[in-house]
């Protein structure tokens, strides 16, 4: 499509405007996490890493970060596994009610978080699991596995359904065909699903806040800071969390998209 | 004890002289819920022969192949291989490699790795695998491509990889599911010749499913024509071409005119039959047993009908109007219509058409000899 110079400039300005609108709040967060000032004011009087030092010097923050890492490391592999089994079931088998099952499997992230959080709290406390890390793990798996399933399902949908049977036809047993065909073809998307589940777990605060009791993850800690007193430490933790989760998501996107463009060639 | 007796009988079956039946399909029925894909089908596939199964889409030919490979289980009936039932054998135990319509090559493996896949599954050592895969790659002209990935190959080369992947384990039978349908006409012809040559040289059983007449008739030793889950006719290509057994087969193969008639007299050597467009004389043997008044379908092949501007050229004639023409190389296929609306198909040399000087819309006499009339059900 041919565009005149003027149109081109207008489009670029519009794009820049849209990006600024999306990222200005986060950039503000970033900038003020590195100021020497107690309050976020302009002009900035100087550069300082004091808020990061303060934040990472806080026992509560460190414990929250350790919790986050521990939870994410359990949630991500389990969600990926669950997501994979669901996606593979959808790819390989046909049965009555499959569509309905898939709708329900994809639903949890769409339920308002307050509703999920309350429901989880009510349910988990009834079975004696609320207020500890396993409660957080369970709730986050519920939220993360649909994402894992969606990524792996997208990959499986591109795979010729005959391939596994072709392997069996050439002498591979059921399991062998699965390992020889499905695993090599899905491994990158499984990795992407792992990263995305990790990111979901890392970011999640609402349901975690409901079910976690006294156990805090990093994002819940930010919430607690906000509730007590506004401190630039929030900017520091916020920026840190943003960088980590965005890297995870970008990695996941990169892996999935690279796959796509490779196959289009 | 029972097991021992069974082994004995099956061994005898293997050694018996009636070995030429490789695969026997007995009363096969395949239902999908209420839909019947294959109904009470019986068929023998001869050892070392090229059997082509053809029919319109939805006739059950692909389902039949999938049942053979074990990809679908049959509802009732039995499949015997050299006399032994393989009905309950798993897919991976059947040793009937298949060339898939989609080819189903493994995209993450190189050409060589694709070819040696079957050997790897059966635990052949790496050196031996490579040796045999290379051997087959070179037999099929893939020498220079062995290290390439599948997406760097052309359609024809992929086809060869799929074939090599099947043949490398030296099976006694391979299944082919419309393998040439994705190739262009030129390449398809080339592959047809190659497939036929391979089958002859290797002497193994080929079961080839296709909807293409030319593929089936140019390669097969035996053609099986299926319709609605049943076998309509089976036999040598020439036999089916010369004498289609049912009006379905005649229509499916095309190029034959079918006239419904009533037998008028059987007194002389010539049987007279009445059609909507006149009375015809028939002399072939199959007419002798007919009774006066019985209704028959008369069939005449397109290449046995000639055209003329004047009446009186042959014993049988009918006046028609030309409604369509199709040029195929040096031949031309004409479609005519009689006064009663019956379709007559005629195949002529293009130069004959020129001398006749007829075009679409013109009236013409279609003529044929009494011995070229046949009956079909």
């Amino acid at each position: 499509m041919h565009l005149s110079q003027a149109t081109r400039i207008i489009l670029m300005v519009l794009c820049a405007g849209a990006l600024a609108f999306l990222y200005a709040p986060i950039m503000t967060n970033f900038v003020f996490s590195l100021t020497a000032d107690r309050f976020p004011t302009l002009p900035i009087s100087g550069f300082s890493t004091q808020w990061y030092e303060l934040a990472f010097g806080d026992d509560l923050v460190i414990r929250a970060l350790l919790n986050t890492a521990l939870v994410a490391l359990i949630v991500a592999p389990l969600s990926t596994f669950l997501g994979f089994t669901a996606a593979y079931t959808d790819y390989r088998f046909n049965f009555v009610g499959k569509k309905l099952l898939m709708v329900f499997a994809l639903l949890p992230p769409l339920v308002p978080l307050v509703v999920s959080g309350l429901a989880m709290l009510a349910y988990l406390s009834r079975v004696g699991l609320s207020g500890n890390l396993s409660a957080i793990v369970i709730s986050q798996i519920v939220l993360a596995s649909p994402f894992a399933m969606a990524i792996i399902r997208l990959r499986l949908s591109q795979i010729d359904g005959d391939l596994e049977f072709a392997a069996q036809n050439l002498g591979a047993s059921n399991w062998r065909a699965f390992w020889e065909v499905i695993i090599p073809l899905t491994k990158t998307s499984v990795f992407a699903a792992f990263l995305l589940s990790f990111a979901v777990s890392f970011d999640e605060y609402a349901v975690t806040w409901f079910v976690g009791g006294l156990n805090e993850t990093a994002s819940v800690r930010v919430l607690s800071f906000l509730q007590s007193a506004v401190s630039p430490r929030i900017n520091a933790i916020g920026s840190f969390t943003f960088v980590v989760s965005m890297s995870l998501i970008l990695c996941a996107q990169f892996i999935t998209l690279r796959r796509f463009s490779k196959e289009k060639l | 004890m029972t097991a021992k007796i069974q082994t004995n009988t099956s061994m005898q079956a293997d050694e018996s002289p009636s070995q030429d039946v490789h695969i026997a399909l007995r009363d096969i029925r395949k239902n999908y819920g209420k839909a019947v894909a294959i109904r009470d089908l019986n068929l023998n596939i001869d050892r070392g022969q090229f059997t082509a199964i053809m029919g319109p889409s939805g006739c059950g030919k692909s389902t039949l192949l999938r049942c053979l490979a074990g990809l679908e289980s049959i509802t009732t009936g039995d499949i015997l291989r050299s006399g032994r039932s393989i009905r309950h054998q798993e897919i991976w135990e059947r040793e009937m490699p298949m060339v898939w319509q989609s080819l189903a090559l493994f995209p993450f493996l190189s050409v060589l790795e694709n070819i040696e896949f079957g050997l790897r599954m059966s635990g052949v050592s790496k050196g031996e695998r490579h040796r045999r895969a290379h051997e087959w790659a070179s037999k099929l002209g893939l020498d220079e491509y062995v290290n390439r990935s599948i997406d760097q190959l052309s359609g024809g080369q992929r086809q060869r990889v799929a074939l090599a992947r099947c043949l490398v384990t030296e099976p006694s039978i391979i299944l082919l599911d419309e393998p040439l349908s994705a190739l262009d006409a030129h390449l398809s012809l080339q592959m047809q010749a190659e497939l036929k040559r391979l089958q002859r040289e290797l002497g193994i059983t080929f079961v080839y499913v296709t909807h293409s007449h030319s593929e089936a008739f140019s390669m097969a030793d035996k053609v099986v024509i299926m319709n609605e889950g049943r076998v309509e006719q089976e036999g040598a290509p020439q036999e089916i071409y010369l004498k289609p057994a049912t009006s379905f087969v005649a229509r499916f193969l095309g190029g034959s005119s079918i006239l419904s008639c009533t037998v008028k007299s059987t007194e002389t050597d010539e049987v007279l039959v009445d059609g909507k467009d006149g009375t015809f004389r028939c002399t072939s043997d199959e007419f002798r047993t007919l009774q006066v008044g019985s209704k028959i379908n008369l069939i005449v092949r397109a290449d046995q009908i000639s055209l003329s501007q004047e009446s009186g050229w042959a014993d049988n004639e009918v006046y028609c109007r030309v409604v369509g023409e199709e040029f195929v190389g040096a031949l031309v296929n004409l479609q005519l219509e009689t006064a009663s609306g019956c379709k007559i198909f005629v195949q002529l040399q293009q130069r004959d058409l020129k001398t006749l000087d007829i075009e679409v819309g013109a009236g013409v006499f279609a003529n044929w000899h009494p011995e070229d009339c046949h009956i079909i059900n």
Side-chain angles (χ1 to χ4, degrees), chain A residues 15-208:
Chain A
C15 267
L19 280 177
F21 176 76
L22 286 173
Y23 288 97
I26 291 164
M27 286 320 291
T28 319
N29 199 352
F30 245 118
V31 171
F32 286 118
S33 76
L34 290 166
T35 63
D37 302 317
R38 170 71 183 85
F39 295 103
T41 49
L42 287 170
I44 293 162
S45 66
F47 171 83
S48 161
T49 56
Q50 55 170 328
W51 305 118
Y52 284 91
E53 282 156 31
L54 198 62
F56 291 111
D58 186 335
D59 258 2
L60 283 175
V61 174
I62 295 301
R63 202 177 311 144
L65 279 172
L66 286 177
N67 278 343
T68 302
L70 178 66
V71 168
L73 280 173
I74 302 173
V75 168
L78 290 178
S79 305
T80 308
F81 177 74
L82 275 180
F84 183 90
T85 50
Y88 184 71
T89 305
D90 176 39
Y91 166 74
R92 178 64 191 276
F93 303 104
N94 269 318
F95 48 88
V96 180
K98 187 170 99 172
K99 279 209 173 120
L100 199 68
L101 185 79
M102 285 299 133
V103 169
F104 275 111
L106 282 167
L107 212 53
L110 300 177
V111 176
L113 289 174
V114 179
V115 176
S116 300
L118 271 174
M120 290 284 186
L121 178 60
Y123 175 76
L124 290 173
S125 62
R126 184 108 359 133
V127 296
L129 273 173
S130 72
N132 53 33
L133 283 184
S134 41
I136 300 179
V137 167
I138 292 171
S139 338
Q140 290 192 354
I141 288 177
V142 172
L143 293 175
S145 41
F147 288 103
M149 170 174 125
I151 287 195
I152 297 168
R153 205 160 155 238
L154 174 69
R155 176 65 190 130
L156 283 170
S157 69
Q158 306 160 343
I159 299 175
D160 177 357
D162 286 339
L163 283 183
E164 225 180 333
F165 293 122
Q168 294 183 3
N169 177 250
L170 293 166
S173 66
N174 248 327
W175 272 106
R176 188 83 195 265
F178 177 80
W179 282 108
E180 294 283 348
V181 175
I182 298 299
I183 294 300
L185 283 171
T186 52
K187 62 183 181 214
T188 44
S189 73
V190 166
F191 187 57
F194 178 87
L195 292 180
L196 191 66
S197 315
F198 202 98
V200 168
S201 162
F202 200 85
D203 289 345
E204 214 296 315
Y205 70 93
V207 175
T208 311

Side-chain angles (χ1 to χ4, degrees), chain B residues 54-57 59 225-228 230-233 244-254 258 297 299 376-377:
Chain B
M54 64 180 307
S57 50
C59 71
I225 297 189
M226 282 184 69
N227 179 35
E228 292 181 345
R230 266 185 285 251
V231 172
E232 286 276 335
Q233 189 175 7
T246 64
S247 54
F248 170 81
V249 175
R251 287 203 180 90
F252 178 67
L253 297 178
I258 302 171
N297 281 321
I299 177 172
I376 49 168
N377 306 321

